[in-house]
Amino acid sequence: MRKIVIITGLTASGKSSLAVEIAKKYNAEIISCDSVQIYKGLDIGSAKESKIIRNKVPHHLIDICEFTDTFNVSQFIENCMSSVEDILSRKKLPIIVGGTGMYVKALLEGYTFGEALANQEFRQNMQNLAKEEGNRAVWDKLYEKNSELANSVHPNNLHRVIRYLEIETFGNNLEKTESPLKDYEVCAIGVIEDREIIYTRINKRVDEMIDEGLEKEVKGLIDKGATRDLQSMNTIGYKEWFDYFENKTNKNQTVDLIKQHTRNYCKRQLTFLKTIKDVKLLKKDEAKDYIEEFLNDNNK
């Protein structure tokens, strides 16, 4: 059976460097499983690997969308599986890497589709909320339930936002596709680390992003027409700058917000990871040994 490795995990856990290390050793190519790295121009804030590394180890599903585009789970599955088959056809190992848990869950467990039993009262309540407080208020409710799903839809696409919110609230009646990876031998790892270590790394990483020119990157996108309600701009590291450029916050406050939002996201990542079937949670060194044992077992 054909083998695939999935490396997901917490922000700043070292999953990307682990993937590159494994890829170099086992003649592999990397498929990004990151809902922000798909966008052109969102480089520093999404922590894309350098072009030097990407020239040494081929990466897929990076820079495939304009910052004005929307992108959803089903599009990810389609693109990801196409890349998987392409890599395998060249006798190489696909390594799927990234922290977007919703994408990983869809790969391993299948993707929800179909019609939930409609709750007309719920839909009307959300329509009324949008009229009274704006579309963003409904989107915020979706974000509270599933931030990754919320970031996959424009706040002004009210019909879709309400539909997703209905799925999150009354989703038990939905059907699911089979796992797209059901016919593959899969090793799925979630890289974790002690909270204090992760938080220290997050703070350091954000400081490094600032030094690398994150402010200039966001300003350049805004100058090209990026607005705060775009899907791409509703992501950590980018959304915090709009108040700054509107003189509502200073730079220190903006940087602190990015750190705080990233730490909060990390907490949600861990909670979500624990819900994904067949993902083994390990620290980086343990994860490396586990993956190599999987790859070296010729009986699989």
Side-chain angles (χ1 to χ4, degrees):
M1 188 176 284
R2 298 174 297 173
K3 293 185 176 183
I4 294 174
V5 172
I6 297 176
I7 304 176
T8 187
L10 305 180
T11 297
S13 62
K15 56 186 177 293
S16 296
S17 60
L18 172 61
V20 169
E21 185 178 353
I22 296 291
K24 289 178 178 178
K25 186 173 181 178
Y26 290 91
N27 190 31
E29 296 186 12
I30 290 173
I31 302 170
S32 173
C33 184
D34 187 291
S35 60
V36 187
Q37 293 186 359
I38 59 171
Y39 291 108
K40 298 174 185 176
L42 279 70
D43 301 328
I44 298 171
S46 69
K48 289 176 187 172
E49 292 286 8
S50 69
K51 290 185 178 180
I52 294 174
I53 291 177
R54 282 187 271 161
N55 286 335
K56 292 179 180 178
V57 177
H59 282 59
H60 303 259
L61 303 197
I62 291 178
D63 295 339
I64 62 171
C65 295
E66 302 297 333
F67 69 83
T68 51
D69 293 339
T70 58
F71 194 81
N72 59 36
V73 178
S74 59
Q75 288 172 289
F76 168 76
I77 295 296
E78 181 180 352
N79 281 272
C80 179
M81 295 311 299
S82 176
S83 296
V84 164
E85 286 300 324
D86 172 53
I87 294 167
L88 287 170
S89 72
R90 291 182 279 105
K91 311 298 182 185
K92 291 190 172 186
L93 169 72
I95 304 179
I96 301 169
V97 185
T100 301
M102 185 168 60
Y103 289 176
V104 176
K105 193 176 183 73
L107 282 171
L108 292 173
E109 300 181 8
Y111 178 62
T112 301
F113 74 102
E115 289 296 322
L117 295 178
N119 187 312
Q120 296 299 337
E121 181 181 1
F122 176 82
R123 293 182 180 183
Q124 189 59 54
N125 287 340
M126 292 302 100
Q127 290 281 357
N128 292 340
L129 177 63
K131 289 178 182 178
E132 293 171 4
E133 300 183 26
N135 293 347
R136 183 74 184 210
V138 183
W139 185 91
D140 286 342
K141 284 185 172 294
L142 177 60
Y143 187 88
E144 289 174 4
K145 286 184 173 290
N146 188 328
S147 60
E148 291 180 348
L149 187 59
N151 285 330
S152 74
V153 61
H154 194 292
N156 288 337
N157 188 346
L158 185 60
H159 176 78
R160 179 67 62 86
V161 171
I162 292 176
R163 177 61 185 147
Y164 281 171
L165 189 54
E166 186 176 38
I167 288 172
E168 287 297 305
T169 307
F170 309 103
N172 292 335
N173 297 304
L174 294 174
E175 298 180 81
K176 278 192 172 183
T177 63
E178 291 184 302
S179 165
L181 301 180
K182 64 183 178 64
D183 295 325
Y184 302 82
E185 185 72 24
V186 180
C187 174
I189 295 294
V191 184
I192 58 174
E193 187 49 89
D194 295 335
R195 179 178 295 184
E196 294 77 11
I197 294 174
I198 286 290
Y199 285 4
T200 298
R201 289 179 184 172
I202 286 171
N203 292 340
K204 181 180 178 183
R205 173 183 283 189
V206 173
D207 288 337
E208 290 172 347
M209 288 178 175
I210 300 302
D211 292 341
E212 290 168 9
L214 179 58
E215 177 184 347
K216 183 178 179 180
E217 178 174 280
V218 180
K219 182 63 165 60
L221 291 165
I222 292 173
D223 289 345
K224 292 178 182 178
T227 56
R228 66 168 75 228
D229 58 354
L230 287 174
Q231 179 178 319
S232 61
M233 295 292 107
N234 260 300
T235 54
I236 298 170
Y238 294 92
K239 63 183 179 181
E240 295 84 2
W241 290 97
F242 285 91
D243 282 348
Y244 169 75
F245 288 120
E246 294 170 7
N247 297 316
K248 296 177 182 177
T249 58
N250 61 42
K251 187 168 182 178
N252 287 337
Q253 290 172 321
T254 302
V255 173
D256 287 343
L257 272 176
I258 295 172
K259 292 177 179 178
Q260 177 186 329
H261 290 164
T262 307
R263 293 193 299 267
N264 292 342
Y265 175 64
C266 191
K267 291 180 185 177
R268 296 195 299 271
Q269 273 185 313
L270 182 58
T271 299
F272 193 79
L273 275 174
K274 292 177 179 178
T275 73
I276 305 177
K277 181 182 177 183
D278 296 331
V279 170
K280 191 170 184 64
L281 302 182
L282 296 169
K283 292 187 178 181
K284 183 178 177 181
D285 289 343
E286 297 171 321
K288 178 184 175 183
D289 293 341
Y290 189 88
I291 293 168
E292 291 194 335
E293 182 179 351
F294 167 80
L295 294 175
N296 292 331
D297 186 350
N298 294 323
N299 293 322
K300 291 186 177 180

